Amino acid sequence: MFWIKRHLYYQIKRGQVTVTFVEDDKSITKSCSALNHPRTLMGNFMEIEDCFKSIAKELAPRRFLLQDPTAVVHLLESVEGGYTNVEIRAFREAAFGAGAREICVPNSNSKLSKSQILNREFTEWDGA
């Protein structure tokens, strides 16, 4: 059977998330107060998951013959000491909760191009 693939690119910054539906080049930016924790980017898991869900539902609703999207969750903010595997796992789980079938978390502070996302031309965080 033929399934159409879809990719959502989550760009996470302090206080906001921008999600791009890669195949259509459509984006939504929303503020998220749970991304304002003083020591790390992840403040309140449930609030972040709800934010991810609302954006995913708006950008890439579930439809017949469409795969659940692959999510590329990109943490663009640096935090002192770096991210722990628990924090990275929390972002992965929030994307799973929003309906993604597969999650990639790039280990980079530079935004990715459409080509890099579709061809997975980036390194990922280990151990998450």
Side-chain angles (χ1 to χ4, degrees):
M1 177 164 269
F2 177 73
W3 294 96
I4 299 169
K5 293 183 178 183
R6 304 181 299 165
H7 296 81
L8 292 177
Y9 178 39
Y10 291 80
Q11 298 171 63
I12 312 299
K13 294 182 180 178
R14 193 155 305 280
Q16 76 174 30
V17 58
T18 300
V19 183
T20 303
F21 186 4
V22 177
E23 286 76 8
D24 288 351
D25 288 324
K26 292 180 183 174
S27 293
I28 294 176
T29 300
K30 286 193 174 184
S31 62
C32 182
S33 62
L35 294 170
N36 282 326
H37 193 277
R39 290 187 311 265
T40 183
L41 201 51
M42 172 74 69
N44 180 317
F45 174 82
M46 299 304 288
E47 190 176 330
I48 291 170
E49 184 181 49
D50 287 344
C51 183
F52 282 14
K53 281 180 185 178
S54 70
I55 294 173
K57 185 176 180 181
E58 189 173 339
L59 273 180
R62 292 182 173 204
R63 294 207 167 96
F64 185 67
L65 292 181
L66 295 177
Q67 283 186 349
D68 288 340
T70 295
V72 177
V73 180
H74 200 169
L75 309 177
L76 294 172
E77 296 280 329
S78 294
V79 295
E80 187 177 332
Y83 292 101
T84 67
N85 62 343
V86 173
E87 292 166 317
I88 294 165
R89 176 72 183 265
F91 278 104
R92 289 177 55 83
E93 292 299 324
F96 272 125
R101 68 177 177 83
E102 183 179 5
I103 316 294
C104 303
V105 183
N107 185 357
S108 160
N109 286 8
S110 302
K111 291 182 182 179
L112 301 175
S113 69
K114 181 176 182 176
S115 170
Q116 287 174 304
I117 294 167
L118 294 175
N119 297 313
R120 288 194 181 194
E121 296 171 348
F122 51 84
T123 58
E124 292 189 62
W125 285 95
D126 292 329

